[in-house]
Amino acid sequence: MGAACMLLAASHRTAQAEVLIRFSHVVADDTPKGQMALHFKTLVAQRSGGRIRVEVYPDSQLYGDDDEMEALRLGAVEMLAPSLSKFGTVGIPEFEVFDLPFLFRDLAQVRCVTRGSIGRKLLHRLSRQQMVGLGFLDNGFKQMSAGKPIQNVQDFKGLRLRVQASRVLAAQMRALGAYPLVLPFGETRRALAAGVVDGAENPVSNFLTQGLAPVQRAVTLTSHGYLGYAMVSNPRFWASLDAADRAMLTQALNDALDQGNRLSADMNQQALVTLRKDPGVQVHTLSPAQRDALRLAVQPAYDDFERRVGVSLLRQVQRDCAP
Ligand code: SIN
């Protein structure tokens, strides 16, 4: 066999190689991220004829907040979709712009950021920390929960509140007079049940599917902050793929993210309907004046962000994606 034929045969073998993608995440299947992951798995199985397999590990079964990024870097998993709040501690503090309280009024405003030049730049920055950024997914807006309604600034005073590992979220809680406690998502329910923390902030879909209702009697619909995800892969794995496989996976992922983004608002709406039927949980709302007072009180979180990350990113978000 001539050299050209051998090369052709080798490349054909590579194109036919079986591929396993381990996709680990920390939420339940029945959430926007869980559904997106399962849809991605189905699309990949269909489009590759079963040659490329996606194994989805939900609910921190394989890795949790503390070790999933390290697992990706070491090649123990091929894909993750950490919340945007979790990229600051791995060296990309720009992602914490999404955590700034009351910055986004609705998902349309968030999507202006994630689908435009700012989003593309942020995904590109992930390469600095040995990750390939493949896209964004919404969960939705976070609501406060505790043993009592949290509607006024003084309601926050002295509460120990679980936050993700984001300096913006910690600054937000401190500005409101609360004590932020960073805990992995998978340990939050136990900490709330044991009284180690008094409350938390979650979109309703995460609140319900983590079984937080029995341990948090009051949910206040503050919608004070956004929770979304970046889909990431290991660059060595991504580069090792055959070009046709990479193109197919990119398209399947884009389709799964589109579907997840279409579902996310409905899933949170549906979760709220379910929550309102739970006799053990009271759902509270904010008056415009209460909302304004909270918005004013969290200003130190903006000052802290600007000191650490600079003003240009926030200004660009405010200018290009005004409500
Ligand atoms: C997630 O939705 O992936 C978890 C968010 C959190 O840690 O609160």
Side-chain angles (χ1 to χ4, degrees):
M1 198 186 300
C5 290
M6 280 169 68
L7 264 178
L8 208 64
S11 77
H12 183 70
R13 269 200 310 278
T14 316
Q16 295 306 305
E18 301 214 333
V19 178
L20 173 64
I21 297 175
R22 290 159 296 183
F23 181 171
S24 172
H25 67 83
V26 300
V27 294
D29 284 335
D30 194 15
T31 57
K33 181 162 59 180
Q35 289 295 296
M36 181 279 291
L38 293 175
H39 189 51
F40 175 60
K41 173 188 167 116
T42 304
L43 292 180
V44 171
Q46 283 165 356
R47 295 178 190 180
S48 71
R51 184 173 55 81
I52 304 184
R53 219 151 38 85
V54 178
E55 286 178 355
V56 179
Y57 296 93
D59 258 330
S60 313
Q61 277 168 16
L62 201 54
Y63 295 102
D65 287 343
D66 281 344
D67 49 9
E68 64 176 11
M69 302 252 197
E70 187 60 9
L72 186 78
R73 265 198 282 264
L74 294 174
V77 289
E78 285 71 31
M79 280 191 177
L80 300 175
S83 86
L84 303 172
S85 320
K86 292 170 187 165
F87 289 96
T89 50
V90 297
I92 321 175
E94 294 92 335
F95 274 76
E96 292 184 2
V97 73
F98 291 101
D99 291 333
L100 286 166
F102 300 106
L103 178 60
F104 299 109
R105 206 162 60 182
D106 54 26
L107 287 180
Q109 205 190 342
V110 175
R111 287 172 186 173
C112 165
V113 176
T114 52
R115 294 179 181 175
S117 65
I118 306 175
R120 278 193 296 279
K121 232 186 291 171
L122 286 172
L123 287 182
H124 186 68
R125 291 239 165 108
L126 290 164
S127 60
R128 272 201 224 148
Q129 298 300 333
Q130 300 150 56
M131 285 181 256
V132 183
L134 298 170
F136 290 100
L137 175 71
D138 295 321
N139 186 320
F141 286 89
K142 294 176 288 183
Q143 319 301 343
M144 289 303 311
S145 68
K148 60 171 193 181
I150 305 184
Q151 294 161 305
N152 302 297
V153 178
Q154 54 270 30
D155 299 329
F156 282 84
K157 289 252 168 324
L159 289 183
R160 289 158 303 167
L161 299 176
R162 180 268 168 174
V163 290
Q164 304 176 72
S166 150
R167 288 174 70 175
V168 167
L169 297 180
Q172 163 198 280
M173 295 310 188
R174 274 195 297 270
L176 292 161
Y179 300 108
L181 254 110
V182 175
L183 280 177
F185 184 66
E187 287 170 28
T188 302
R189 187 189 192 283
R190 214 177 15 214
L192 287 166
V196 174
V197 285
D198 304 306
E201 48 167 20
N202 284 290
V204 186
S205 59
N206 277 1
F207 180 86
L208 263 195
T209 54
Q210 286 300 300
L212 301 190
V215 295
Q216 295 273 268
R217 286 199 312 276
V219 172
T220 308
L221 302 180
T222 46
S223 291
H224 60 282
Y226 167 77
L227 178 74
Y229 309 105
M231 190 72 212
V232 290
S233 186
N234 173 310
R236 286 187 309 280
F237 163 74
W238 197 245
S240 76
L241 290 167
D242 176 78
D245 284 349
R246 200 161 45 237
M248 186 277 284
L249 287 169
T250 302
Q251 189 56 51
L253 189 59
N254 286 340
D255 293 347
L257 291 172
D258 280 350
Q259 199 217 39
N261 283 328
R262 276 196 302 274
L263 282 179
S264 57
D266 277 358
M267 289 192 87
N268 278 303
Q269 202 46 47
Q270 196 44 53
L272 183 56
V273 171
T274 306
L275 190 69
R276 285 188 191 277
K277 289 188 189 144
D278 186 332
V281 179
Q282 299 157 353
V283 178
H284 303 270
T285 53
L286 293 184
S287 69
Q290 286 170 328
R291 206 176 157 73
D292 285 348
L294 293 181
R295 187 199 303 274
L296 215 64
V298 296
Q299 184 56 40
Y302 281 73
D303 302 338
D304 180 64
F305 178 80
E306 290 185 0
R307 260 195 310 275
R308 290 186 296 113
V309 183
V311 292
S312 67
L313 172 61
L314 178 57
R315 291 292 171 273
Q316 196 186 349
V317 168
Q318 287 166 328
R319 191 187 57 232
D320 297 359
C321 297

